[in-house]
């Protein structure tokens, strides 16, 4: 019996594989753990793939650069646009769930993380009057001697670079993100993600889900409950 239990445990841990690990980027921890003193990205304090120290770079506004990557090459981002950019940076650097969408050949990278349409639309709205000189933030820079990013092309408004929120979400970070068909089985870099994560099965499983699957229904139900609870908490706080 014990042997069976041990074998079963081995199967479970190996099949869940990367799920509870971290990406393998230059700032990532080997595995997620609590970071009580985070300056930013506090959504991930309980289980974080970045060190609290790292988030110091994001804690100031305006953010000038994160590691070698300058955020102000086309001028300072507006506060709302900066806030969205931070959410994406925090997810990539700190989320203990990001590795669920690890890129097979490139373990520092993610692919096709499902984002909510509303999140992408709001992000676009926040940034549309800011300027940018790359369509793909990961590849379209010229790299300086010490690895810093420089514009190759002219700065133009986000609204000229990207047609809409979908276009922006699915191109700004290469193939890292896609816009989900579902309004529940998708991430929006908020506390609601806990619900989505619970019902999102591994990698591309929600590829074909069009809102009729049992995960979708279960997710919607749980999300309504969650929202109700949040509202009640809000009312009590007042
Ligand atoms: C990024 O910053 C971290 C510390 O915050 C450092 O360990 C790492 O080497 C840096 N990477 C690059 C490419 O500068
Ligand atoms: C992944 O890596 C292998 C071996 O290096 C290579 O043959 C393959 O083309 C790569 N696949 C992709 C999608 O990059
Ligand atoms: C967003 O832009 C893309 C690319 O131009 C276009 O194909 C798509 O129809 C647009 N979506 C909406 C909702 O306007």
């Amino acid at each position: 019996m014990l042997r069976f239990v041990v074998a079963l445990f081995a199967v479970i841990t190996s099949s869940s594989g990367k799920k509870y690990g971290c990406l393998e980027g230059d700032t990532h921890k080997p595995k997620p753990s609590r970071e009580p003193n985070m300056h930013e990205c506090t959504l991930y304090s309980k289980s974080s793939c970045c060190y609290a120290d790292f988030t110091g770079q994001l804690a100031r506004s305006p953010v000038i650069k994160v590691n070698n990557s300058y955020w102000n090459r086309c001028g300072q981002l507006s506060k709302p646009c900066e806030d969205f950019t931070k959410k994406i940076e925090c997810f990539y650097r700190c989320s203990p769930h990001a590795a669920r969408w690890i890129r097979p050949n490139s373990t520092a990278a993610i692919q096709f993380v499902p984002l909510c349409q509303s999140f992408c639309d709001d992000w676009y709205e926040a940034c549309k009057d800011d300027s940018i000189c790359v369509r793909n933030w990961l590849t379209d820079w010229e790299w300086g001697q010490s690895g810093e990013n420089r514009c190759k092309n002219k700065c133009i408004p986000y609204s000229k670079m990207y047609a809409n929120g979908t276009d922006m979400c699915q191109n700004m970070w290469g193939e890292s993100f896609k816009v989900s068909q579902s309004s529940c089985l998708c991430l929006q870099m908020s506390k609601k993600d806990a619900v989505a994560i619970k019902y999102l099965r591994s990698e591309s499983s929600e590829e074909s889900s069009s809102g009729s699957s049992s995960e979708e229904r279960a997710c919607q139900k749980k999300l309504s409950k969650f929202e109700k609870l949040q509202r009640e908490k809000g009312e009590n706080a007042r």
Side-chain angles (χ1 to χ4, degrees):
M1 182 60 192
L2 180 63
R3 199 185 299 167
F4 172 74
V5 171
V6 170
L8 187 64
F9 182 71
V11 169
I12 290 171
T13 44
S14 67
S15 68
S16 53
K18 251 342 297 188
K19 203 144 129 191
Y20 301 107
C22 290
L23 296 169
E24 297 169 7
D26 58 4
T27 61
H28 287 88
K29 298 199 237 177
K31 55 184 176 64
S33 57
R34 255 168 64 78
E35 286 289 336
N37 302 314
M38 281 167 89
H39 308 278
E40 275 285 342
C41 314
T42 51
L43 185 57
Y44 309 109
S45 296
K46 281 197 191 128
S47 176
S48 168
C49 281
C50 65
Y51 294 99
D53 256 5
F54 170 81
T55 64
Q57 307 180 67
L58 292 169
R60 63 175 76 97
S61 182
V63 173
I64 309 291
K65 63 172 187 161
V66 177
N67 265 42
N68 269 335
S69 182
Y70 283 83
W71 282 22
N72 62 353
R73 288 310 195 196
C74 292
Q76 241 36 284
L77 296 176
S78 65
K79 184 74 168 62
C81 181
E82 182 179 270
D83 286 344
F84 273 94
T85 311
K86 276 187 199 180
K87 285 181 208 271
I88 293 293
E89 191 77 29
C90 287
F91 173 79
Y92 170 68
R93 304 278 183 176
C94 310
S95 170
H97 301 294
R100 217 186 243 225
W101 292 277
I102 198 162
R103 203 180 179 95
N105 263 12
S106 165
T107 55
I110 45 179
Q111 65 179 7
F112 308 132
V113 176
L115 294 179
C116 300
Q117 181 78 62
S118 59
F119 176 82
C120 290
D121 293 346
D122 292 349
W123 179 9
Y124 185 79
E125 195 54 36
C127 291
K128 68 183 195 320
D129 299 327
D130 285 282
S131 289
I132 190 164
C133 65
V134 291
R135 184 163 162 81
N136 182 334
W137 184 277
L138 302 177
T139 58
D140 294 353
W141 299 101
E142 185 171 274
W143 303 99
Q145 300 240 310
S146 48
E148 80 280 11
N149 58 331
R150 300 229 180 96
C151 286
K152 268 197 295 208
N153 301 308
K154 249 184 14 187
C155 293
I156 57 173
Y158 275 63
S159 58
K160 285 240 167 65
M161 190 64 87
Y162 307 105
N164 51 43
T166 307
D167 185 30
M168 185 182 71
C169 275
Q170 298 190 156
N171 289 293
M172 188 172 183
W173 275 61
E175 295 188 333
S176 302
F177 299 104
K178 63 167 189 181
V179 177
S180 176
Q181 303 286 321
S182 165
S183 61
C184 192
L185 299 169
C186 55
L187 304 186
Q188 45 196 319
M189 312 311 169
S190 79
K191 288 191 170 155
K192 292 180 190 171
D193 291 358
V195 176
I197 289 282
K198 198 165 159 212
Y199 294 100
L200 266 170
R201 284 173 307 167
S202 57
E203 298 106 80
S204 53
S205 64
E206 56 94 54
E207 211 70 82
S208 59
S209 87
S210 54
S212 60
S213 69
S214 58
E215 279 88 8
E216 176 72 24
R217 282 195 303 272
C219 185
Q220 293 287 3
K221 206 168 148 191
K222 184 85 176 185
L223 188 61
S224 323
K225 261 196 206 154
F226 181 87
E227 285 172 340
K228 183 156 174 269
L229 206 70
Q230 292 295 102
R231 273 197 305 275
E232 283 166 7
K233 264 196 211 160
E235 272 155 28
N236 285 345
R238 261 186 266 138

